[in-house]
Amino acid sequence: MADAYIAGAAMTRFGSRPDSLADLMAEAARGALTSAGLERPEALVVSAMNPEEFVGEGNFASHVATHVGLARTPSLRAETATSSGAAALFTAFAMVSAGVYRSVLVVGGEKMTHLPTPRVSELIGRSIDPYERSYGATMPALAGLVTRAWMARTGATLRDVSLVAVKNHANGAKNPLAHFREPVTLETVMESRMVADPLRLFHCCPISDGAAAVVVGAEPGPVRIAGIGQGSDYLALRYRDSFTGFRASQEAARTAFRMAGFGPERVEVAELHDAFAPFELMSMEDVGLAPAGKAARMLAHGETALDGRLPVNPSGGLKARGHPLGGTALAQVVELYWQLTGQAAGRQVEARVGLAQSIGGLATTNWVTLLERIP
Amino acid sequence: MADAYIAGAAMTRFGSRPDSLADLMAEAARGALTSAGLERPEALVVSAMNPEEFVGEGNFASHVATHVGLARTPSLRAETATSSGAAALFTAFAMVSAGVYRSVLVVGGEKMTHLPTPRVSELIGRSIDPYERSYGATMPALAGLVTRAWMARTGATLRDVSLVAVKNHANGAKNPLAHFREPVTLETVMESRMVADPLRLFHCCPISDGAAAVVVGAEPGPVRIAGIGQGSDYLALRYRDSFTGFRASQEAARTAFRMAGFGPERVEVAELHDAFAPFELMSMEDVGLAPAGKAARMLAHGETALDGRLPVNPSGGLKARGHPLGGTALAQVVELYWQLTGQAAGRQVEARVGLAQSIGGLATTNWVTLLERIP
């Protein structure tokens, strides 16, 4: 397997944006090409979860390619629901590693804020098993059930879970591209309105618009894709072995670490999929950054804060940076690229190895990517 | 670039099917695994153009993986509109060639016949440039314009174009899995009702349900993916250099032949994207199987018939086998696999090298795949 590198990265500001999705994708794409010092990649991989229904456009890879000014560059779309950006990165990695292309622009995003929230919820709910969906299950409802089970197993409290939101909003306040740039207090989080017990509004990520892009190249430096792996599980929750951890994250991490040839102990910064605040803690345990049941304590002790031993979601995470579905996993990689190359002004941490973890659907199709700064 | 092989292939009967899309995908997938003698692939790549709107399902790779009985096998979806099956094949090729996986199941399909035709037309029309779409352009309308331009340039007549349908229906009559299994006369084709001048009903492929699947493996034989390439062009017809050939097909062919290290002269059987009958002739010229302007004469002389020098669309093509969007490009590869390995009873041709060409949207994202039987 030949090495592949992140040669450049960029993202738009996340939030409620008047721009079209194609404009957001183009902004991120041009930024990543500039960052990589590349005029024209050999191919494009595009990620968006559902451009047909969110913005009414199909043939979306061609649509984006044309809009970016690369109509005559081969392009395809990769999709794994809310983790689509990671699927696109993996596809580009395989292309470059196989030697099919020497440079691939990967760009992902979503435009959602123009739709009413119930419609967004319906579209995201398509990721759920049809039978469970037929009983009214929504993504927050299932996440609430999983959170209750995880709290019961680990002894974590609602206060522990709420501290994730406090930390990530504090980080987001330092990220000029974040959707939310205001710190929040523990009280605000714990007293916000109920969404799906025990999850309250401030435990849930916002609906965001935005896009992110990276260039994957065969030429060495500055950041290597040391490992990348996917894990999966049954669509239906009722078939899962466990509700207190996600097999798909665990398997993705095993695969990525196996490819990298090192373990979690080398990871110094992480971007985790906190679409719901407790998922950050569950994910720390799933990918091996915390022993089982210990993530809440690490957070409470400040170990995952910006100035902690292992900063988690320095960008603000999905919670504060925002979650434009097809762009999110790439935004994680953009943040790690900036952190590893000293470009995260205002929230810079010291790290050589970073981990990004992305959850697709209710953890049916998850990814872990390991990035390493070239010495 | 390490070699990759087609280790097995299968497809469902195409046509109007009462089965769910997931059932069709599972039938093709299990068939391909059986054909390859493989119990469990290392990964899945799924193709469907728009499962969200055709069948109301998202997170579709996980949905199919669960339905096939491979919920814990990594899966992702690849999409390039009507050529999505080829994008999925290419993605699997890159994965195997990179050494990321040693066996990948590729399965694609679409379920369309349950929707009213105007709705199908609307969904397919999403592939067209939004500005041209806003003036009422539909896929058959634009195809009609291109056909008129191509006829004017080459001197081909409507009779020439109609002979494509006659040949492909004759072939489809010999294919037990084809949507249409009745031969048609030249008169029937030429006198069928007008769809978009000069295209009449029998110049257009049907709306079909169905799925097709192949296993791509790293282990040698029986059929090698000798070359695979993508070409692209502007979404908008008004920006194209030419209306009498598709740049995306030409570029895809150049790339595939470059990878294969041989030229069109070695191709002995071809499956071409005849969504509209004249596209078979244009495609022969685009991919180098006919000199410019000579495809119609080759057809009229019987050279592309089942017993001709270069059989084209022995399966019946999109015209008679049918066109379940995300499954079509894989069905082409299935047909070539069967032809190259002597499993095309009733329509068997003698060939060692086959070419499949697939058109995405109105030729914005096309693919050419070259398959070669291992001696």
Side-chain angles (χ1 to χ4, degrees), chain B residues 138-153:
Chain B
T138 61
M139 206 56 90
L142 296 179
L145 292 176
V146 167
T147 299
R148 275 279 172 223
W150 176 82
M151 287 169 69
R153 190 206 71 186

Side-chain angles (χ1 to χ4, degrees), chain A residues 52-53 56-57 59 62 66 71-75 77 79 126-127 133 230 232-235 241 247 364, chain B residues 52-53 56-57 59 62 66 71-75 77 79 126-127 133 230 232-235 241 247 364:
Chain A
E52 289 85 359
E53 289 179 289
E57 291 301 336
N59 196 6
S62 283
T66 291
R72 293 189 161 180
T73 301
S75 63
R77 173 175 162 229
E79 186 258 314
R126 297 262 172 83
S127 297
R133 204 165 63 207
Q230 185 182 14
S232 60
D233 208 344
Y234 290 95
L235 208 58
D241 288 342
R247 183 202 179 267
T364 68
Chain B
E52 288 85 358
E53 288 178 291
E57 291 300 336
N59 196 8
S62 283
T66 290
R72 294 188 160 180
T73 302
S75 63
R77 172 175 162 229
E79 187 258 314
R126 297 261 172 84
S127 296
R133 204 165 63 206
Q230 184 183 15
S232 61
D233 208 345
Y234 291 95
L235 207 58
D241 288 344
R247 183 203 180 267
T364 68

Side-chain angles (χ1 to χ4, degrees), chain A residues 90-108:
Chain A
F90 177 75
T91 302
F93 169 84
M95 290 169 172
V96 169
S97 183
V100 179
Y101 297 123
R102 292 195 59 78
S103 62
V104 179
L105 173 63
V106 188
V107 55

